[in-house]
Each structure stands twice: as C-alpha cells, then as structure tokens.
C-alpha cells in the first residue's frame, strides 16, 4: 500500500494594483484624509480600503476625503487604480481646516500600476515619519516644477523608481534640487 500526503496551498493573491499607504493613527486623533485627487483616464470611480474593514467607493471627481478610525493603531490604506495621483491632507500646519495634522501619521507609500503613478508637488511634505516610498512610473512634480514632493521628510531612507523612467526623473527640477525631492537622508534607487 502506497500512502501519499497532499498539502493544499492557497493560490497566491495577485499583486495589488493601486497605491498602498501605511499610517499610524494616534488614539487622540483618529482621522485621516486625502486632497488633490486626480482621476485616472476614463475612470468613473475608485475605491479606498481604509484597512479597518471599511471599503468605500468614490466618484472619480471626489477631491477631499476623510475617514475616522474606531481607534488608533497601524493601518494599511489601499487606493484602487482609479486615480492617477493623490496627496495626503497633512502637508502643512498653517491651515488645519485644509491641511490637517495627518502628515506625521504616514509611514510608507508605494504605487503599483501604470495609471496610479504620479507624485503631486509637495504630496508628502512634512511627513516626518515616512521611511519608504516607491513609484513605478512617475511624473515627479505635477505642474509645479519648483517644488519637491518629499520636502522635510528627514526619516525617508529609501525612494524607489522604475529603471525605465530614470532619465525622465533625473531631468526634473525636483531631482536636481539639493537634496533631491527635498528628502535629505533618502537613497534613490531605479530598480522597479
């Protein structure tokens, strides 16, 4: 008698196409949000999985979105491929009604997809705790070539881009700034 043991392994999930943002939400301020949302070409809507079990669909022309978490903690926000760029709503403390206090909550951001690919100007400015960012295809600035998307991100150590866009990115004023993209401690890789 021959006995065989079969082990069933679940099929791997396909890679998520969109943008993933990891945030640390404090107990005393459980809200996070986005502004300056630009829709992807031909998109009619997009979804956000806020990482706490809440998934919402928004019209493509939505521009200012906030979400209140049930409690503080570490969350992974997933934004679908229906937008081409998005900016966390905490780039400055000068106007709390518009900018909020969300910037310190951001820990990492990664975009995976052809459409969701743009870093808007000053998109993650003042994100003092962000350590990692990755974008496959990128327009490093969005109509404001004199600004830098990661200004004052002193904790940012890794910034990854697709190798095929190296020449295009190195030609931007944001890359030529000192330091590039305003991130003084980041090493820039062209390895995606």
């Amino acid at each position: 008698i021959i006995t065989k043991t079969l082990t069933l392994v679940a099929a791997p999930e396909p890679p998520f196409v969109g943008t993933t943002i990891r945030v640390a939400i404090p107990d005393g301020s459980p809200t996070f949000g986005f502004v300056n949302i630009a829709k992807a070409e031909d998109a009619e809507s997009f979804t956000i999985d806020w990482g706490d079990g809440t998934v919402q669909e928004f019209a493509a022309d939505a521009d200012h979105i906030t979400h209140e978490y049930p409690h503080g903690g570490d969350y992974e926000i997933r934004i679908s491929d229906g937008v081409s760029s998005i900016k966390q709503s905490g780039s400055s403390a000068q106007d709390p009604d518009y900018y909020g206090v969300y910037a310190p909550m951001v820990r990492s951001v990664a975009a995976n997809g052809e459409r969701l690919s743009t870093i808007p100007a000053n998109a993650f400015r003042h994100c003092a705790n962000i350590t990692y960012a990755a974008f496959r295809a990128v327009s490093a600035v969005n109509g404001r070539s004199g600004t830098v998307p990661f200004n004052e991100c002193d904790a940012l150590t890794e910034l990854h881009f697709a190798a095929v866009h190296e020449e295009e990115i190195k030609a931007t004023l944001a890359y030529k700034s000192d330091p590039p993209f305003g991130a003084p401690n980041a090493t820039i890789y062209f390895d995606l």
Side-chain angles (χ1 to χ4, degrees):
I1 297 175
I2 299 175
T3 302
K4 292 184 178 181
T5 301
L6 298 179
T7 302
L8 299 179
V9 179
E13 291 186 14
F16 173 69
V17 177
T19 290
T20 300
I21 300 178
R22 294 184 184 275
V23 294
I25 306 295
D27 286 323
S29 181
T31 302
F32 190 82
F34 298 102
V35 295
N36 295 3
I37 303 164
K39 69 176 183 178
E41 186 177 357
D42 300 326
E44 296 182 358
S45 65
F46 63 93
T47 61
I48 296 182
D49 181 338
W50 294 100
D52 62 353
T54 304
V55 180
Q56 292 178 289
E57 184 173 357
F58 299 94
D61 59 355
D63 184 59
H64 191 174
I65 295 170
T66 59
H67 176 69
E68 185 170 339
Y69 285 91
H71 51 75
D74 294 331
Y75 298 95
E76 181 179 275
I77 300 171
R78 288 187 169 193
I79 306 163
S80 74
D81 200 30
V83 297
S84 64
S85 70
I86 199 164
K87 173 180 177 180
Q88 55 77 28
S89 182
S91 61
S92 172
Q94 296 175 353
D95 184 354
D97 291 334
Y98 182 74
Y99 293 111
V101 291
Y102 309 143
M105 302 179 191
V106 178
R107 295 303 191 269
S108 70
V109 57
N112 179 25
E114 291 302 316
R115 294 189 300 177
L116 187 50
S117 58
T118 302
I119 304 176
N122 288 338
F124 299 97
R125 185 179 182 185
H126 298 303
C127 288
N129 296 309
I130 189 172
T131 60
Y132 176 91
F135 292 83
R136 291 187 177 278
V138 61
S139 175
V141 290
N142 193 16
R144 298 170 61 192
S145 59
T147 58
V148 286
F150 295 99
N151 193 27
E152 301 179 26
C153 294
D154 293 344
L156 183 61
T157 57
E158 293 185 47
L159 189 51
H160 297 260
F161 297 108
V164 295
H165 297 286
E166 180 173 1
E167 184 175 335
E168 170 192 350
I169 291 170
K170 285 183 175 179
T172 67
L173 292 181
Y175 183 87
K176 294 176 181 178
S177 68
D178 185 18
F181 298 103
N185 300 314
T187 300
I188 298 173
Y189 302 92
F190 294 93
D191 57 354
L192 298 181

